[in-house]
Structures are given as structure tokens and as C-alpha cells.
Amino acid sequence: MSRSQFPRVATLKTAAAFRAHLERSSIPLAFDDQLAAPSASPFARSIDVDGVRVGNRFCILPMEGWDGTSEGEPSDLTRRRWRNFGISGAKLIWGGEAVAVRHDGRANPNQLVMATRTQPAIASMREELVAAHRERFGANADGDLFVGLQLTHSGRYARPDIYDRPAPLAASTHPVLDRRFPNGVRVIEDDELARLEEIFTAAARLAHDAGFAFVDIKACHGYLGHELLGARSRSGRYGGSLENRTRFMRQVIERIRADVPGLQVVVRLSVFDMVPYRKRADGVGEPEPESRSVPGFSVLASDDGLESALEESRGVLRMLEGLGVRWICATAGSPYYNPHIQRPAMFPPLDGYEPPEDPLRGVARQIEATALLKRDFPGLTFVGSAYSYLQEWLPHVGQHNLREGLCDLVGLGRIVLSYPDLPADVLTGAPLRRNAFCRTFSDCTTGPRMGLVSGCFPLDPFYAARPEAVKIRDVRTETRAASSDQ
Ligand SMILES: Cc1cc2nc3c(=O)[nH]c(=O)nc-3n(C[C@H](O)[C@H](O)[C@H](O)COP(=O)(O)O)c2cc1C
Ligand code: SF4
């Protein structure tokens, strides 16, 4: 299969054409042909969870811009992105972006860090988001706006000092992924993890004092919190059994509950994973050959096995529910070793590969996994991810999923970089701007892979005018030319 075999979503212009393609390709994805009027839209319904009211069913997913200062404070670019989140119209801001709890946990030298010295700047960025929301939607519009901060340690994917110098601190060894780090991988020791639990708690307290209503204890995308969940081969109290593998997450949450009352704790979880992929000679992605029995958390071998692959995630969700966590953001895989699973795209990022499947299948897989978990945990509130590839059909699929209770909120990632106020347009019934839809060119992922800031270089005029846009376009052209030579 190659990209050219998958029709571009923009060419599936009618509901009949979209449905015919899904049926022909056996992609299980349902959608509403018509969008409801704003007053009857499932997107417009508020949701109440344990005394928190969120004003509608749009959620902005966390997205880093690799654009903080070297000290870990936001820059003007970071602030602009957060203001855009504020004007989007979405009422749930899931964490804004991954913020490291400590310098060595940064995924890049420009990632934000939550520390005493950076807290005032991060607090004022949150205020700017809220102010932008009020300016656009009214003086009291923030009454049902729920804004949190995503806390992370990047673990295996830490690159705190130089963008192309990894400083991995893994949860366990990995026969395939370790080979991608020629200078070796250090496994974090138990005592360091115990210390890190305190650091997460301190960061959560700073987030609370900065005005954030919740913190997300990030457990996705191959970073430390996620890798620990799959650390079967690790010995000691944080490895082996699921009880041990969830110890870090559990203890962080318990500590925050005890030390920072009033702060909600939520979790973004890669609810399933797949084995690491690599680029085949013709540029298309394929599973690493010897990865059949590699470790991991809720690893999916084939789509028939989704129910059973989710079993470990169910174990984690039971534990989280028992701890009083009410909000879950479902995501999948990792942008580092299987990007087509995590953020389905037609065009690969610089370090990626041509899609090995119709990206719509990747979207459908995340929707189905979220629906299965929602069915099993009706008391948890689920945000779904990976809708951006749906482009014009995003509101139609989202409306169907909300109406059918397959998820509670629809999360928006890349589309918000290209079309920040899509939620506002859907909620008011305004005509949707076709030329603003993210076409999944992946430049927002390629930029950071080149040590540049992230942004929607092809479609956001602000980024299109920046010098990085030219560099990224040139790299994209060269990579595609090389792929088509194969
Ligand atoms: C540029 C970029 C940065 C991202 N940064 C984060 C992040 O900081 N934390 C996180 O949990 N996910 C991050 N993601 C993943 C998104 O939240 C989302 O899961 C993914 O893009 C799929 O959703 P979409 O199809 O709407 O883009 C990032 C994605 C992109 C494209
Ligand atoms: S660069 Fe823009 S169009 Fe490309 S994937 Fe990112 S948001 Fe979408």
C-alpha cells in the first residue's frame, strides 16, 4: 500500500462518497450526514462531573510548540497558541501542552518546566487564555471553562539540553527501542522514581496556585508515565505485575490528593499501543521485524484483538476510578515509534514513514477503543482523540459519537493549529472554512524534529510567514522526492 492508494478526505465531498469509501475499505466509522442546528447540537450540551460544569463537548488536546525559553517559561509563540486555545470556543482545555516537572524530563530544550521560578509566567499564560476566551465569548464565559496543565517526565524521550542529543531515562530496557539510542539508555532507579513522585506533587501544587483547575498525570506516547505501565521486565517495586507497574501513577495521584486538596487529577492514557514501526525501503511503514514479543502496555497485535488488548487499560481505569479520578483522555501509541497510530496523517513527518494503512482506519481504531472503554466505565468521562484527519467530516463523526455516547467530549489536536476557532464555528452554525482544515502535512511534527518551533506552517499565515516555513517545506520536498525515487 502507498499513500496514493488512499483517497484524500478532501476529495470525499458528499456523505454518500465518504460512506462508500468507508464501506469499500471496511473501515468501521459512522457519522451523521447533517450537522444539527446549534441549539440541538450534541456539541453544545454542557457536562457536569462532580460539581464541575464544562460548557460544551469540545476539548483542546495538549500540544507543545517547542517554543519555550531555555529556562522553561512560555515565549510569545507559546502565549499566542494558548490565546488561540482560549478563542477556540472549546470549554475543556486538556493540559495545554506537556510541561516537564524537572529539567531532565524535558523532551526538548524549549519545553516548559513547572518550577517556582517559571510558575508566574505559566500562571499569566493561563490568564491570557482565559482573558481571550472572555473577550470573544463574554465577560462571564469562563464560568464553565475548565483549564488544566499536563505534567510529564519525558523518560526515554528526554532531550533536555540539545534537541538532537537524547538523554533517555527509561522505565525498562526494550530490545527494539534501545537500539535507537546508540549511546545507551539508562533505566531510572526505584529511589529516583520515589523522588520523582514528590517532584510531580510539588509541580501540581505550583499548578494549583497558578490557577489551574486540574493536572493531567501524563501516561501516554512512550514517555515515562506510559513506559512504566508496560515495564513487565523491570524488577523491584515499579515493575512486573500491573500492581507494581501502576505504583508510580497511583502514588503520584495519592500524594497530590493529600497535599493539594481542591486540585482535580486527570489522566491522559495511551489506551492501546502497537509495536514499533520502521520505514521500509519503499518508504512505507512496517512493524520492526523482531517486535512480536516486545514489552509494552495494552499492545494490539491486530484489530481483531482490540477488546483483549484493552484489558490492561481496564485494569488501570479501575484503579483510577477507585482513586476518584473522573476524567480520562484516551489516546494511543507514540509519535516516536508508531506515529500513524497516534496521529493518523496522509503525509509523514521527517522521521516517519508513508502510511501503511488508510489513516481513516487509525482514526476509527481510536474511536472504537474509546467507545469500548466508555461502555465498560460509564462513570468516567472520556475525551476522544485523533479526529483531525477527518477534516470536513470531523464535526459529522464527532456529532454522531457524542449522540451515541461513544465518548463524552471530542478532543481536537492539529486542527486547532490550522483552524483555531472550528469549535466556535460549529457551535454557532457558521459556514466552515474549508481552506483552514488541517490536511495532515505533519509540518507541525517535522519542525521540532529539525530543532525548530512547531506550528501550522502550511495553513496558518502567521507561521507561513516565518523563516522556518521555507526550511520545512524544502525538507518536505526533498523527503518526498527521495521516497518517490524508491
Ligand atoms: C505538534 C504536536 C504537539 C503535541 N504535543 C502533545 C503534548 O504535549 N501532549 C500530549 O499529550 N499530546 C501531544 N500531541 C498529541 C495530540 O494531543 C493528539 O493526540 C494528536 O495530535 C492526535 O489528535 P489530532 O488528530 O486531533 O491531531 C501533540 C501533537 C502535535 C501534532
Ligand atoms: S502543519 Fe498544519 S496542516 Fe500540517 S499536520 Fe500540522 S496542523 Fe495539520
Side-chain angles (χ1 to χ4, degrees):
M1 286 281 188
S2 74
R3 183 197 325 150
S4 55
Q5 289 167 268
F6 310 124
R8 294 194 190 186
V9 172
T11 65
L12 302 169
K13 288 192 197 303
T14 64
F18 186 41
R19 186 163 288 116
H21 170 64
L22 294 171
E23 281 172 9
R24 211 170 28 245
S25 314
S26 307
I27 297 173
L29 193 60
F31 64 96
D32 287 354
D33 287 20
Q34 302 292 333
L35 289 186
S39 58
S41 173
F43 282 112
R45 288 200 323 261
S46 59
I47 182 166
D48 294 278
V49 180
D50 284 356
V52 172
R53 166 159 296 193
V54 173
N56 62 44
R57 302 304 180 104
F58 279 112
C59 168
I60 304 299
L61 298 174
M63 270 177 301
E64 274 174 82
W66 288 262
D67 51 16
T69 67
S70 50
E71 287 73 40
E73 293 185 348
S75 64
D76 289 347
L77 290 177
T78 328
R79 292 173 183 281
R80 176 184 183 270
R81 190 170 54 258
W82 280 58
R83 277 197 306 275
N84 276 350
F85 295 165
I87 58 135
S88 70
K91 290 290 189 177
L92 174 52
I93 311 294
W94 191 286
E97 63 190 274
V99 175
V101 294
R102 199 169 67 183
H103 176 76
D104 72 348
R106 294 168 99 177
N108 66 83
N110 295 95
Q111 185 169 36
L112 301 186
V113 181
M114 186 43 120
T116 311
R117 67 181 191 290
T118 58
Q119 189 226 30
I122 294 177
S124 80
M125 181 175 62
R126 188 202 69 91
E127 279 158 23
E128 276 188 50
L129 181 156
V130 174
H133 188 76
R134 291 165 60 135
E135 213 168 281
R136 172 126 187 206
F137 302 105
N140 299 319
D142 57 325
D144 54 7
L145 178 69
F146 195 34
V147 185
L149 195 69
Q150 184 178 59
L151 297 180
T152 194
H153 187 293
S154 301
R156 180 179 287 277
Y157 297 104
R159 291 166 182 237
D161 297 312
I162 300 177
Y163 89 92
D164 56 358
R165 188 185 297 163
L169 198 52
S172 60
T173 55
H174 190 296
V176 173
L177 295 179
D178 287 359
R179 288 207 309 260
R180 299 184 181 184
F181 298 89
N183 294 329
V185 172
R186 186 162 86 77
V187 173
I188 188 167
E189 290 175 7
D190 284 5
D191 289 352
E192 291 178 272
L193 279 172
R195 170 88 188 112
L196 203 51
E197 290 168 8
E198 286 169 27
I199 307 259
F200 263 83
T201 311
R205 189 177 309 109
L206 289 170
H208 173 260
D209 296 348
F212 289 95
F214 66 86
V215 287
D216 167 22
I217 305 304
K218 184 173 185 179
C220 56
H221 305 163
Y223 296 109
L224 187 64
H226 179 216
E227 205 178 43
L228 274 167
L229 295 177
R232 257 184 221 84
S233 62
R234 183 186 171 100
S235 55
R237 58 189 195 276
Y238 293 97
S241 65
L242 189 62
E243 167 80 9
N244 279 356
R245 285 182 273 135
T246 52
R247 185 177 308 283
F248 180 77
M249 179 190 264
R250 200 169 50 245
Q251 294 189 166
V252 167
I253 295 173
E254 281 168 351
R255 272 174 185 271
I256 295 174
R257 286 244 178 284
D259 287 14
V260 200
L263 180 69
Q264 298 251 1
V265 183
V266 307
V267 172
R268 189 159 202 227
L269 181 68
S270 278
V271 296
F272 65 86
D273 202 353
M274 277 205 184
V275 298
Y277 270 60
R278 67 174 192 181
K279 196 190 220 173
R280 219 165 53 193
D282 63 358
V284 178
E286 65 173 7
E288 286 270 7
E290 6 27 315
S291 42
R292 272 187 206 295
S293 57
V294 294
F297 173 72
S298 276
V299 179
L300 178 62
S302 82
D303 282 335
D304 304 340
L306 189 57
E307 271 283 8
S308 53
L310 292 175
E311 205 35 46
E312 290 210 305
S313 279
R314 291 192 186 91
V316 170
L317 294 178
R318 264 190 296 279
M319 182 272 281
L320 292 174
E321 202 167 24
L323 288 173
V325 171
R326 290 289 166 266
W327 298 82
I328 301 293
C329 185
T331 174
S334 164
Y336 296 101
Y337 55 79
N338 49 26
H340 74 289
I341 299 299
Q342 201 263 328
R343 48 186 83 155
M346 184 59 94
F347 303 93
L350 179 62
D351 59 345
Y353 41 77
E354 296 287 332
E357 61 180 8
D358 187 326
L360 286 168
R361 196 173 296 284
V363 175
R365 192 181 291 118
Q366 289 205 37
I367 288 175
E368 190 182 350
T370 309
L372 291 171
L373 294 173
K374 177 68 198 172
R375 177 200 67 192
D376 296 341
F377 294 88
L380 293 176
T381 306
F382 283 89
V383 177
S385 300
Y387 283 74
S388 288
Y389 184 75
L390 292 164
Q391 302 159 55
E392 281 86 343
W393 296 107
L394 187 159
H396 298 256
V397 174
Q399 176 178 298
H400 169 271
N401 293 354
L402 292 171
R403 198 169 46 68
E404 293 292 321
L406 307 185
C407 61
D408 297 293
L409 289 98
V410 170
L412 305 179
R414 291 161 294 179
I415 190 96
V416 179
L417 302 180
S418 68
Y419 190 169
D421 47 359
L422 172 73
D425 282 353
V426 171
L427 291 164
T428 53
L432 302 184
R433 289 190 286 123
R434 267 187 84 84
N435 59 2
F437 277 97
C438 163
R439 301 297 179 193
T440 67
F441 295 120
S442 291
D443 288 6
C444 51
T445 305
T446 293
R449 299 294 184 259
M450 295 168 65
L452 306 172
V453 298
S454 174
C456 184
F457 293 98
L459 299 181
D460 178 346
F462 175 86
Y463 279 95
R466 288 180 60 89
E468 295 93 340
V470 181
K471 291 189 195 166
I472 293 175
R473 195 192 53 222
D474 290 350
V475 163
R476 193 197 320 141
T477 314
E478 281 162 27
T479 316
R480 297 217 170 120
S483 283
S484 58
D485 282 351
Q486 304 283 344

